[in-house]
Amino acid sequence: MKITFVTSNTGKLKEVKDKLEPLGIEVVGDKVYYPEIQTDSLREVARYGAQWLKNRLEAPFILDDSGLFLSALEGFPGVYSAYAYGTIGNRGILNLMNKKGDKRAEFRTAAALVDPNEKIHIFEGVCKGSVIGEERGKNGFGYDPVFIPEGYEITFGEMSTEEKNKISHRSLAFHEVYEYIKEHFSVEFDIS
Ligand code: ITT
């Protein structure tokens, strides 16, 4: 089957394609605009975007809202991750974290799936780790060069998409999306 993934981020699209296509789901990127509301919950941002797009885009489709949550900064940049990345960038995050002893960080993704009946389902994924004191690696995108996942010594920026997809927040959330599609789509919507 084929599903639309609404994102303007080519890095996300590559990860989701690499995740779902070997499982038999063709992923087509669409950069159509949707509003991202200001709230403290990624789920609500994703749900609102999906709700807004429902009347404008043919279902089924998926979108994801993600962020990096830093313990020492009470979860900042979190839901403001896109804004923070676009303004202060990784350099700014490193400066803010420079004197902090607590380096714990986690990436979170909330993926919204709009099914063929236009019902919205939210799936979440979390990847725990820490932020390092410098940028390392040229792979991935966004905050990847400053984040080391738990149990590893290299950053997401030093991993291939395949390696990142074994453990990432996005991969976990989209695994749930896959499980949902596998279980419900062929039976309820006659799509396989
Ligand atoms: P779309 O909303 O169009 O999908 P975006 O890049 O704006 O693309 P988000 O709002 O979900 O996506 O992302 C918030 C910020 O967090 C943004 O700057 C991303 O680059 C960054 N980000 C999201 N997922 C990431 C990941 O897996 N690795 C590194 N940075 C990530």
Side-chain angles (χ1 to χ4, degrees), residues 6-9 12 15 34 36 64-68 81-82 85 107 141-144 156 164 169-170:
V6 180
T7 183
S8 58
N9 183 321
K12 280 189 185 180
E15 288 178 13
Y34 64 90
E36 292 192 14
D64 101 36
D65 194 52
S66 302
L68 178 68
S81 290
Y85 188 76
F107 269 119
F141 63 94
Y143 300 105
D144 281 343
F156 271 165
K164 183 179 171 187
H169 45 299
R170 179 162 300 101

Side-chain angles (χ1 to χ4, degrees), residues 138-153:
K138 297 260 176 278
N139 300 335
F141 63 94
Y143 300 105
D144 281 343
V146 299
F147 179 82
I148 295 192
E150 226 167 62
Y152 287 76
E153 287 183 358

Side-chain angles (χ1 to χ4, degrees), residues 91-106:
R91 283 280 180 87
I93 294 295
L94 294 180
N95 284 339
L96 289 173
M97 290 295 288
N98 190 20
K99 299 250 156 56
K100 306 286 185 193
D102 180 0
K103 301 290 187 192
R104 285 173 303 152
E106 63 186 40

Side-chain angles (χ1 to χ4, degrees), residues 12-53:
K12 280 189 185 180
L13 180 60
K14 178 165 174 29
E15 288 178 13
V16 172
K17 268 180 172 286
D18 281 20
K19 170 84 195 179
L20 294 183
E21 294 198 337
L23 298 170
I25 300 173
E26 188 188 341
V27 178
V28 181
D30 190 331
K31 294 187 172 179
V32 60
Y33 164 83
Y34 64 90
E36 292 192 14
I37 53 163
Q38 292 284 301
T39 140
D40 59 4
S41 149
L42 294 178
R43 286 180 79 88
E44 290 315 308
V45 179
R47 183 179 292 282
Y48 185 90
Q51 182 71 31
W52 192 87
L53 278 175

